[in-house]
Amino acid sequence: MLPLIKTSIPPRETLMPRLEEVLYSGYVAQGDVVEQFERKFEEYIGGGHTLSLNSGTAALHIALILAGVNEGDEVISTALTAEPTNVAIKMVGAKVRWADVDYNTGNISADSIEKAINSKTKAIIVVDYAGIPVDVKRIQEISQKYNIPVIEDAAHALGAKYNEIKTGNHFPFTVYSFQAIKHLTTIDGGALQIADRDLYEKGKVIRWFGLDKKLSRLDNDITYQGYKYHMNNVNATIGLVQLENIENIIQRYIDNGRYFDEELKNINGVELIEYYPNTKPSYWLYTLKVENRDAFVKMMSENGVIASELHKRNDLHTYLNDYPTELPNLDAFYGKMVHIPCGWWVSDEDRAKIVKLIKSGW
């Protein structure tokens, strides 16, 4: 069965010597290797300051704290995402205010964001769903107009671009996940890309119990809440090895995605996703809108290919649905949305088979 998602691990002969070196170095906690990974990741992104963490969820949590979101505040977000995007909002005691999606892209609608803003709005979370960049220009304009910071959840979008510049450079905070199935995995982990240097320094303190690692334990004075969110040298070593080949890995997703963009045009019962001007997706998932999705998924499965909507819309979770909202675009989009395999493991023969199956009907 051709899977929808799959973990990419470097060859044994490449990874294991590096892992053994750090495992038997006598220091496996957060140290110099974590620092090396952060600086290398910054080089890859091309800007900002990388705060490595033990998960993308931790990155979301710290981003909300740094954005000044407190208990009782509201954060505008999308219901079309993995649950951690919105669970993190609840972690700071804030409430989730839904914005609708753009039916053409599946991403959060800029117009809907603006309509949802009120006196309690303290941040906006946008998600580059499936690796498709959001409407960066329009959302930047809204952020500036209302002086509300934007947190970009780019867990799906490593290597995606707007105006030829990678995600991580367009908003004050950009969240990455290095969980097992992402473009780059550290087995578990994440990062927060922070534009402002002072906020980055504050983030480093938050991720380690509120302690400043530049000072000794005896010289420290905790003045605000911190957490145990750091990355360790073992995970960072895997990340460093992964970065050496990340361009090739991501390019295979992109090559497959562009192939589907061309080959799946004008098929009865299929609508392709649109992309905003000057954006280049990283295609972590390849998303289609299809008529009779259940029959589509069944047909693909019977022919050895996994297809799925993958994520449950978050407004169906009681705990996250603070303000039940009519989301007509999401209703229409989610009713048709399905993902097909698009990653590094999808060969030329696999993708040709997928196209043939879809063209044959269901």
Side-chain angles (χ1 to χ4, degrees), residues 53-54 58 61-62 65 91-92 203-211 224-230:
L53 299 155
N54 59 17
H61 189 193
I62 291 180
I65 294 169
M91 290 166 69
V92 294
K204 287 200 288 187
V205 176
I206 292 172
R207 78 171 170 190
W208 184 249
F209 306 111
L211 294 167
Y224 47 83
Q225 178 67 50
Y227 303 87
K228 191 177 188 295
Y229 279 169
H230 65 287

Side-chain angles (χ1 to χ4, degrees), residues 128-158:
D128 302 311
Y129 187 74
I132 300 168
V134 294
D135 189 353
V136 175
K137 182 175 183 294
R138 181 85 174 86
I139 293 167
Q140 286 175 334
E141 290 170 352
I142 291 169
S143 173
Q144 292 164 7
K145 179 179 177 180
Y146 296 94
N147 193 30
I148 298 173
V150 173
I151 299 166
E152 180 179 21
D153 183 339
H156 294 179
L158 185 65

Side-chain angles (χ1 to χ4, degrees), residues 49-308:
H49 309 282
T50 300
L51 185 72
S52 65
L53 299 155
N54 59 17
S55 70
T57 308
L60 285 160
H61 189 193
I62 291 180
L64 288 159
I65 294 169
L66 294 178
V69 180
N70 295 303
E71 187 171 357
D73 292 338
E74 291 185 12
V75 177
I76 295 171
S77 186
T78 176
L80 185 58
T81 183
E83 286 82 357
T85 304
N86 294 308
V87 168
I89 295 171
K90 307 290 280 189
M91 290 166 69
V92 294
K95 294 184 180 296
V96 183
R97 175 74 68 174
W98 301 121
D100 207 350
V101 302
D102 180 339
Y103 176 77
N104 295 317
T105 67
N107 277 337
I108 193 168
S109 160
D111 289 342
S112 186
I113 289 172
E114 189 161 21
K115 290 175 183 175
I117 291 172
N118 63 64
S119 61
K120 292 185 177 181
T121 307
K122 292 300 184 289
I124 300 164
I125 293 183
V126 301
V127 178
D128 302 311
Y129 187 74
I132 300 168
V134 294
D135 189 353
V136 175
K137 182 175 183 294
R138 181 85 174 86
I139 293 167
Q140 286 175 334
E141 290 170 352
I142 291 169
S143 173
Q144 292 164 7
K145 179 179 177 180
Y146 296 94
N147 193 30
I148 298 173
V150 173
I151 299 166
E152 180 179 21
D153 183 339
H156 294 179
L158 185 65
K161 295 179 180 178
Y162 169 68
N163 280 344
E164 296 299 328
I165 299 172
K166 290 173 183 169
T167 59
N169 293 283
H170 307 122
F171 297 106
F173 310 101
T174 307
V175 170
Y176 293 99
S177 170
F178 305 138
Q179 185 258 351
I181 57 176
K182 297 303 191 296
H183 288 109
L184 184 154
T185 180
T186 58
I187 308 306
D188 239 337
L192 177 59
Q193 202 71 8
I194 305 171
D196 183 85
R197 178 79 194 191
D198 290 340
L199 288 179
Y200 167 67
E201 292 296 335
K202 183 176 181 180
K204 287 200 288 187
V205 176
I206 292 172
R207 78 171 170 190
W208 184 249
F209 306 111
L211 294 167
D212 187 342
K213 286 177 100 41
K214 295 191 295 292
L215 303 174
S216 73
R217 286 288 181 104
L218 296 178
D219 292 327
N220 257 284
D221 175 26
I222 295 175
T223 57
Y224 47 83
Q225 178 67 50
Y227 303 87
K228 191 177 188 295
Y229 279 169
H230 65 287
M231 183 177 282
N232 61 58
N233 281 355
V234 179
N235 294 118
T237 297
I238 297 170
L240 282 167
V241 177
Q242 296 277 33
L243 277 172
E244 293 169 3
N245 193 44
I246 193 60
E247 294 282 11
N248 292 329
I249 291 288
I250 292 176
Q251 191 58 49
R252 185 59 192 179
Y253 283 84
I254 293 171
D255 289 346
N256 285 334
R258 289 176 176 169
Y259 175 86
F260 289 140
D261 283 344
E262 289 300 315
E263 296 297 323
L264 295 176
K265 290 178 179 176
N266 304 315
I267 297 175
N268 188 38
V270 173
E271 294 176 68
L272 296 185
I273 299 296
E274 296 180 14
Y275 311 127
Y276 295 108
N278 304 314
T279 62
K280 292 184 176 179
S282 59
Y283 297 96
W284 184 66
L285 297 166
Y286 192 85
T287 309
L288 297 166
K289 289 175 281 183
V290 300
E291 300 295 335
N292 196 356
R293 180 176 60 202
D294 289 347
F296 179 92
V297 169
K298 183 173 184 289
M299 178 276 291
M300 296 292 278
S301 178
E302 288 172 347
N303 287 278
V305 179
I306 295 293
S308 169

